[in-house]
Amino acid sequence: ISEIMFNPPGNDGTNSLEFIEIFNTEPVEKRIDGYHLSGDIDYTFPPDEIIGPRSYQVIARNPAALSSASSVGVALGPYEGDLPNNRGIVQLRNRSDALLLEVNYDTRMPWPIAADGAGHSLFLAKPDHGENSAEAWNSSYIKGGTPGLHDAETNNPLDSILINEFLAHTDLPLVDYIELFNYST
């Protein structure tokens, strides 16, 4: 599970632009027919469905609406149910119904708040943390998300600024300070 759009931009109450994206990390194609998404939604992948090597597959609540609103080529779907706009569960299960992946997303910190109605999706930025960890997820840099595409890193210069040192609550009134450090080139 690599991207989740649970509260799409311009939500007209239909949630027609909701989607879930999965990514095949393997260098070979993977048969996913009979696999299914569960939790707050329900979708079973059709017979003979294959996801290519290191490729994305998008499953949409309304595939036609998502295709016309984004650059996604073909989206599978529709799925039953909808992704709640506050917190929800997305699970990927194999043909034997064994749980392979699970994301319990939320709209409260430490989850990225831009994904909560500001038009951004959640994307798996740090998979090593595990897909069910809030630290693994970031909000997409592009409104509407990037269904079927890699979410490019931002070139925001503030991303390389950090608080390096601070001194607070001293007895001398003009000695308190905050030191910022720019670790970029």
Side-chain angles (χ1 to χ4, degrees):
I1 301 172
S2 53
E3 189 171 4
I4 303 170
M5 174 59 84
F6 66 89
N7 196 352
N11 188 349
D12 57 3
T14 65
N15 293 332
S16 62
L17 298 179
E18 282 184 358
F19 67 87
I20 296 164
E21 175 190 85
I22 61 171
F23 179 69
N24 178 7
T25 61
E26 299 294 323
V28 295
E29 64 184 29
K30 175 81 175 164
R31 292 188 61 95
I32 56 173
D33 54 326
Y35 281 49
H36 62 276
L37 294 170
S38 61
D40 290 310
I41 59 138
D42 188 41
Y43 177 79
T44 301
F45 290 91
D48 300 321
E49 186 63 33
I50 294 173
I51 185 169
R54 292 193 168 86
S55 297
Y56 296 94
Q57 181 61 64
V58 177
I59 305 89
R61 182 155 197 251
N62 183 333
L66 183 64
S67 291
S68 67
S70 70
S71 61
V72 67
V74 176
L76 298 176
Y79 54 74
E80 297 292 321
D82 65 314
L83 299 169
N85 290 344
N86 50 12
R87 69 174 82 159
I89 299 171
V90 178
Q91 300 169 326
L92 178 63
R93 296 178 175 273
N94 69 11
R95 290 176 205 90
S96 301
D97 203 35
L99 182 63
L100 301 176
L101 301 169
E102 180 176 72
V103 179
N104 292 283
Y105 67 85
D106 204 330
T107 57
R108 296 176 296 171
M109 294 297 286
W111 286 89
I113 59 172
D116 186 20
H120 300 271
S121 64
L122 289 174
F123 84 95
L124 190 60
K126 298 174 185 168
D128 292 346
H129 287 280
E131 73 277 349
N132 206 22
S133 170
E135 294 175 355
W137 295 87
N138 203 347
S139 54
S140 63
Y141 297 112
I142 299 171
K143 281 193 172 190
T146 56
L149 303 171
H150 176 72
D151 199 63
E153 295 296 322
T154 180
N155 289 327
N156 184 344
L158 295 178
D159 286 346
S160 59
I161 304 292
L162 59 85
I163 296 174
N164 191 50
E165 186 177 350
F166 68 92
L167 180 63
H169 192 57
T170 61
D171 293 336
L172 301 172
L174 298 176
V175 179
D176 295 349
Y177 68 87
I178 297 174
E179 177 182 284
L180 301 178
F181 177 69
N182 177 359
Y183 60 88
S184 75
T185 57

